[in-house]
Amino acid sequence: MAQTPPLLPEAPAIHQVRLAVRAWLAAHGVRSVAVGLSGGADSAALTAAAVAEAESVHAVVVDHRLQAGSDVTASRAAAFARSRGCATVCVVPVDVTGPGGPEAAARAARYRALGETRRGMPVLLGHTLDDQAETVLLGLGRGSGLRSIRGMAEFDDPWARPLLGIRRDTTRQACDELG
C-alpha cells in the first residue's frame, strides 16, 4: 500500500512554491516527475512541493564527491526525499572530469547523471529567479548579447524550472516552514 506523504504546513512560502509547481505541471500536462535534489533550500522546497502536487516523484541526488563528507550530505538529502514521500530515491555518485574547469565539469556530470536516471520523466530543477538573474548577468558579462537576455528556459525538455518566478529567500523560508 502506498504511503501517504506528510502534509505540508499552510504557510505562505511553501504555498508559493506549491503554486509554482502546480502551474508548471498543469501547463505541461505532467503527472510524474524526477527532481534533482542537492539538499539545498531551493531543491528541498521544490521536492516537498512536487510530492504534494505531482502523482509520483522520483528524487535523484547527485554526489559529486568533490568534498570530504559529500556522501553524508547526499545521504541526508536522500533521507529528506524519503521522509517527504518521494516514490523512489536514487543517489548517484559521479566523477567530475572534463573541460571548462571544475564548475562546468560538475554541471556536465550532474546533468548526465540526472538524464540517465530520469526514467523518461521531466527533471524538475530548483533554479530560482535569483539564479535566472545571475545567468543573464553572467551571459551579458561574457558578451553573449541578446541571447543572454532570454536566460534559462522554464522547460527545455527534459529540464524543467518551475521556480524561475520564485526568489531564493522564499525557498529558504519554505524550508523554515517545513522545519
Side-chain angles (χ1 to χ4, degrees), residues 63-115:
D63 179 2
H64 295 89
R65 301 188 290 188
L66 293 173
Q67 297 174 328
S70 67
D71 58 331
V72 174
T73 301
S75 291
R76 276 198 307 262
F80 172 81
R82 287 185 196 93
S83 75
R84 294 311 322 165
C86 288
T88 63
V89 180
C90 177
V91 175
V92 184
V94 297
D95 293 317
V96 177
T97 59
E103 193 171 309
R107 183 174 35 260
R110 181 171 53 256
Y111 277 83
R112 192 170 36 257
L114 292 168

Side-chain angles (χ1 to χ4, degrees), residues 127 130-140 142 148 151-152:
H127 295 120
D130 300 82
D131 297 311
Q132 182 75 295
E134 291 167 8
T135 298
V136 169
L137 291 174
L138 287 171
L140 290 172
R142 282 192 306 267
S148 293
M152 291 181 279

